[in-house]
């Protein structure tokens, strides 16, 4: 077997043979309730409080002269999303229901962004979209579940790494070494713990350096198997810290981290069972991919 053929087989094994079906079966009971929570907690009041042409920056809707959706339309989309989520949870026409929920969330997110407001929740929208590939209880198309999970991981990796690259492109290492951005953010948010920590420029620099290094480290997520659980765990702690000091909710990301660490540890450790032995043979050992 040539080196190219070997690499191709390894790539196929990595992408299509991760034992992700069981994890995704469970993850849907986390993802869809969380997604519904996001759908119903969306606050649209500030959209209707001002004319679209006053938004800064001007959104696509204002440029095109599109009116903001009425309360009835918003309610209808939310109700459709709720029905689709319920059907997906109870495995009723799962892929159709999963696609309907994804489309509903994507539409709500598009409205949010078209009127000039950046919405970071697009990440959980992509997770819902990738869930469409999965089919609960089915093992005949386990490759689709594997590809779905690997793409979810890719979404997470890109979120962190592109955030680090954006900081470096805009401010260089000064973003971390000066720590003023972190310090100002803690002061502006007004959280008691953040205000306390912001008194020290040294602590702000340490936090800034730690955040940037953590984001850059995600480039190791795929090539270094042993780093995956630590990267997800550190990122989860990082988001708990931002919630306590900055009141910034990154749950649209760490809902995936927490689910993998609790329900799918075999996936981030790349552990899978070998072929089943013959009757009377020793129990199947566990091998690493």
């Amino acid at each position: 077997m040539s080196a190219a053929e070997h690499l191709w087989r390894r790539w196929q094994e990595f992408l299509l043979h991760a034992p992700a079906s069981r994890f995704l079966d469970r993850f849907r009971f986390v993802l869809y309730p969380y997604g519904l929570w996001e759908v119903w907690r969306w606050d649209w009041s500030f959209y209707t409080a001002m004319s679209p042409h006053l938004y800064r920056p001007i959104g696509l809707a204002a440029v095109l002269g599109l009116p903001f959706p009425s309360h009835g339309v918003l309610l209808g989309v939310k109700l459709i999303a709720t029905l689709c989520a319920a059907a997906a949870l109870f495995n009723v026409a799962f892929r159709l229901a999963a696609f309907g929920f994804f489309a509903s969330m994507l539409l709500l997110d598009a409205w949010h962004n078209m009127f000039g407001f950046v919405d970071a929740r697009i990440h959980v929208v992509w997770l819902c979209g990738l869930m469409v590939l999965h089919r609960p209880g089915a093992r005949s198309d386990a490759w689709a579940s594997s590809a779905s999970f690997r793409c979810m991981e890719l979404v997470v990796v890109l979120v962190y790494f592109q955030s680090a690259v954006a900081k470096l492109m805009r401010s260089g290492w000064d973003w971390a070494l000066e720590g003023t951005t972190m310090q100002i953010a803690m002061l502006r948010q007004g959280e008691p713990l953040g205000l306390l920590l912001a008194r020290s420029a040294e602590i702000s620099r340490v936090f800034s350096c730690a955040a940037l290094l953590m984001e850059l480290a995600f480039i190791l997520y795929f090539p270094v198997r042993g780093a995956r659980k630590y990267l997800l765990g550190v990122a989860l702690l990082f988001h708990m810290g931002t919630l306590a000091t900055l009141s910034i909710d990154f749950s649209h990301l760490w809902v995936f981290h927490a689910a993998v660490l609790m329900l799918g540890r075999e996936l981030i450790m790349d552990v899978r069972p070998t072929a089943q032995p013959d009757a009377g043979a020793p129990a199947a050992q566990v091998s690493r991919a």
Side-chain angles (χ1 to χ4, degrees):
M1 180 186 300
S2 67
E5 291 175 330
H6 176 71
L7 288 174
W8 175 246
R9 287 189 60 181
R10 293 282 294 176
W11 164 249
Q12 285 185 312
E13 181 179 356
F14 172 77
L15 180 64
L16 303 178
H17 296 283
S21 296
R22 184 180 179 187
F23 167 73
L24 293 181
D25 282 349
R26 297 174 175 180
F27 185 46
R28 81 179 198 269
F29 292 105
V30 176
L31 182 62
Y32 290 116
Y34 173 80
L36 279 179
W37 177 68
E38 287 282 11
V39 165
W40 286 100
R41 79 163 179 154
W42 237 310
D43 181 13
W44 301 93
S45 58
F46 53 85
Y47 296 96
T48 57
M50 58 192 297
S51 176
H53 72 275
L54 296 177
Y55 296 152
R56 293 293 183 272
I58 297 176
L60 179 62
V63 174
L64 299 177
L66 299 177
F68 188 75
S70 66
H71 174 75
V73 171
L74 288 173
L75 180 60
V77 174
K78 291 182 177 183
L79 290 175
I80 291 173
T82 302
L83 291 174
C84 290
L89 284 171
F90 289 100
N91 198 17
V92 177
F94 177 82
R95 282 179 169 166
L96 179 61
F99 180 80
F101 186 74
F102 163 64
S104 299
M105 287 200 71
L106 187 62
L107 179 59
L108 291 171
D109 191 83
W111 279 336
H112 188 102
N113 285 278
M114 285 176 65
F115 283 85
F117 295 88
V118 177
D119 181 18
R121 283 171 289 196
I122 187 62
H123 305 125
V124 79
V125 177
W126 296 136
L127 296 183
C128 291
L130 290 166
M131 186 63 85
V132 176
L133 298 176
H134 177 60
R135 189 169 62 181
R139 298 296 179 264
S140 59
D141 55 354
W143 64 269
S145 299
S146 176
S148 173
F149 176 76
R150 291 305 186 199
C151 289
M152 289 180 182
E153 289 182 305
L154 180 61
V155 169
V156 170
V157 170
L158 291 178
V159 167
Y160 292 110
F161 190 68
Q162 67 84 25
S163 177
V165 170
K167 291 181 178 72
L168 293 175
M169 290 179 63
R170 185 174 181 83
S171 306
W173 290 100
D174 289 343
W175 185 93
L177 298 177
E178 293 179 358
T180 53
T181 301
M182 180 73 72
Q183 190 174 31
I184 292 172
M186 288 191 290
L187 290 170
R188 181 178 297 170
Q189 293 300 103
E191 288 294 316
L193 181 58
L195 292 174
L196 178 64
L197 296 175
R199 295 177 181 177
S200 170
E202 288 75 18
I203 291 178
S204 298
R205 282 194 287 269
V206 169
F207 281 6
S208 298
C209 290
L212 182 58
L213 291 175
M214 184 272 294
E215 291 174 340
L216 285 172
F218 264 85
I219 194 65
L220 302 175
Y221 184 91
F222 286 121
V224 183
R225 300 187 191 99
R228 295 172 191 170
K229 60 182 178 182
Y230 298 109
L231 287 170
L232 291 179
V234 169
L236 185 59
L237 293 176
F238 167 75
H239 292 312
M240 296 300 101
T242 59
L243 185 61
T245 58
L246 298 170
S247 189
I248 298 178
D249 177 16
F250 283 100
S251 58
H252 56 275
L253 283 174
W254 60 255
V255 66
F256 177 79
H257 306 0
V260 172
L261 289 171
M262 290 188 295
L263 304 175
R265 291 180 62 85
E266 72 279 2
L267 289 166
I268 52 176
M269 295 173 66
D270 271 350
V271 177
R272 71 185 192 280
T274 59
Q276 293 295 321
D278 295 331
Q285 297 179 344
V286 174
S287 64
R288 292 185 178 271

